[in-house]
Amino acid sequence: MPLLQLGSSCCAPPYLACGTNSCYPCVTWINTKVHVPLAMRWLKDTLDKPSSLQVEEVDEGLLQFEQLEELILSTNLISRITSANLPQTLKVLELCCNAVADLQDLCAQPLPELQHLGLGYNRLCSPWQDKYLTANCWPNLVSLDLSFNSLTDLLDLVSQLSSLQKLRILLLQGNPLALIPTYRGFLVDSLPKLFILDDIQIEPEERDQFHGLAGQPELTRSEARVVVSIGEIKGVPAPCEQLEDGSKDSVVTYSYCVTYEFAEGEEIQDSISTEVCASLSS
C-alpha cells in the first residue's frame, strides 16, 4: 500500500478526497499549500503508529510536503524507496524494521540536507550496498544506523564511510562484521571524527588504546569470536550429588562437549571449531 493511500472520511484532513475502498480509501490531495500545517499534523499523528499502516511504498504524493524535514516509517513493509519521491528538504529519514535490501533507488537523487539515516533491522548485505554509503550520496550525514543487517566486509565499509566527513554517530552492532575481534578498535582508529559507536561514546583513552590499528588491515581477517555462557545444564548428575561422605577435600571434574549447528548454507571448514568444551568442578 502506498504511503498516501491511508486516509478515510473519518480520519483524513477535511481537504482530502477519499475514494470508495472500504479498507484504505484512495486519497487525493487538494490545495495542500493552504493546509500544509494541518496536513503535517495529520501525517505525523498517523506515522506515530507505523506498525498499523503496513506501508509498502512511498509514492510521489509525498513531494507535496515541500518543507518536510523528518520522515519516520519504521516497522513497515518497505523493500525499496525511491529518493525521487522524497522532499529534498528532509533532514531525518528513519526506515528501521523494514525489508530494505537495495539502496540504489534511494541514492538515485541524493538528499543534500539529510543528517540522519536510519536503516537498522533491514536486509542490507555486503559488498553490494557499501558503495552507496559515501559523501557523494550523503554530504551532510551526521548519524547513520546500519545495525542488525547482514554487512560482512568491514574493510570495504570503512573505506566508504571515511568519506563522510560530518559523520559523528554510527551504529553497526548486530552485523556479522561486528564479530571480528578487532571490530571496534579498527573503526575507532579509522574514523577519527566519530563520536559515538554502537551507542557507546568514544573516549580519548580509547582512541589512544587503538591508535595505529587502522594501518593493520590484516587484523580484520575473516574470523569471528563468539563467547558462550552456559548458565544451567539439565539432564546430567550434579557433581555435589556424586561425592561420598568423608570426601570433602576431593575434587571431581566432569567435562561435557557442546556442539553447535551452523545455519543452513554456511560452510564449516574446520569441524573442530564447532565444538565447545565445558567443565564443572566441585
Side-chain angles (χ1 to χ4, degrees):
M1 168 182 37
L3 175 61
L4 295 183
Q5 292 182 355
L6 296 173
S8 69
S9 58
C10 62
C11 66
Y15 48 88
L16 298 183
C18 300
T20 57
N21 187 310
S22 60
C23 296
Y24 295 103
C26 181
V27 173
T28 302
W29 298 100
I30 302 176
N31 196 17
T32 54
K33 290 186 178 180
V34 176
H35 299 282
V36 162
L38 181 57
M40 293 291 287
R41 288 199 298 272
W42 174 81
L43 182 61
K44 181 180 184 301
D45 292 342
T46 303
L47 296 183
D48 278 343
K49 301 176 181 179
S51 60
S52 63
L53 299 184
Q54 301 298 294
V55 176
E56 297 177 4
E57 62 178 293
V58 178
D59 58 32
E60 65 277 2
L62 195 64
L63 294 174
Q64 299 186 51
F65 293 96
E66 298 176 353
Q67 303 301 319
L68 186 64
E69 294 187 350
E70 182 174 342
L71 180 60
I72 300 176
L73 289 171
S74 301
T75 320
N76 280 290
L77 302 175
I78 300 171
S79 58
R80 299 177 74 96
I81 184 167
T82 303
S83 56
N85 295 336
L86 299 175
Q88 292 289 294
T89 54
L90 275 183
K91 294 184 178 179
V92 174
L93 178 58
E94 183 58 67
L95 296 167
C96 178
C97 297
N98 277 280
V100 179
D102 194 337
L103 299 179
Q104 182 175 358
D105 291 343
L106 183 59
C107 298
Q109 296 182 22
L111 304 171
E113 303 298 324
L114 198 69
Q115 298 178 12
H116 170 76
L117 178 58
L119 290 165
Y121 290 92
N122 276 279
R123 300 177 182 177
L124 301 176
C125 299
S126 294
W128 302 280
Q129 302 305 314
D130 297 352
K131 61 183 178 181
Y132 299 117
L133 301 171
T134 67
N136 292 333
C137 299
W138 319 108
N140 290 303
L141 202 63
V142 176
S143 173
L144 177 60
D145 181 4
L146 297 171
S147 59
F148 296 94
N149 280 275
S150 299
L151 302 174
T152 58
D153 194 330
L154 181 60
L155 286 177
D156 188 59
L157 180 62
V158 168
S159 68
Q160 307 300 323
L161 296 179
S162 60
S163 68
L164 301 173
Q165 294 300 307
K166 296 185 179 181
L167 187 65
R168 298 295 182 271
I169 302 172
L170 177 63
L171 282 82
L172 287 173
Q173 58 193 353
N175 285 282
L177 56 76
L179 295 173
I180 297 174
T182 56
Y183 154 77
R184 184 173 177 87
F186 187 78
L187 277 169
V188 168
D189 196 42
S190 299
L191 303 174
K193 295 183 179 180
L194 206 61
F195 185 68
I196 295 176
L197 174 59
D198 293 338
D199 293 323
I200 301 176
Q201 183 173 333
I202 301 173
E203 301 292 348
E205 295 79 10
E206 189 175 19
R207 289 205 181 277
D208 292 340
Q209 176 185 355
F210 296 126
H211 178 70
L213 200 57
Q216 304 179 60
E218 67 277 4
L219 296 180
T220 62
R221 55 191 180 276
S222 298
E223 294 182 3
R225 178 180 59 191
V226 179
V227 178
V228 179
S229 297
I230 302 176
E232 182 180 0
I233 298 179
K234 296 182 178 180
V236 295
C240 59
E241 297 177 357
Q242 302 295 313
L243 296 177
E244 300 178 356
D245 294 337
S247 59
K248 295 182 179 180
D249 296 331
S250 300
V251 175
V252 180
T253 300
Y254 293 84
S255 296
Y256 304 91
C257 187
V258 181
T259 300
Y260 293 87
E261 294 185 2
F262 283 70
E264 183 178 353
E266 296 289 336
E267 295 183 359
I268 303 177
Q269 296 180 351
D270 186 356
S271 59
I272 299 178
S273 64
T274 67
E275 298 184 349
V276 178
C277 291
S279 62
L280 298 176
S281 300
S282 64

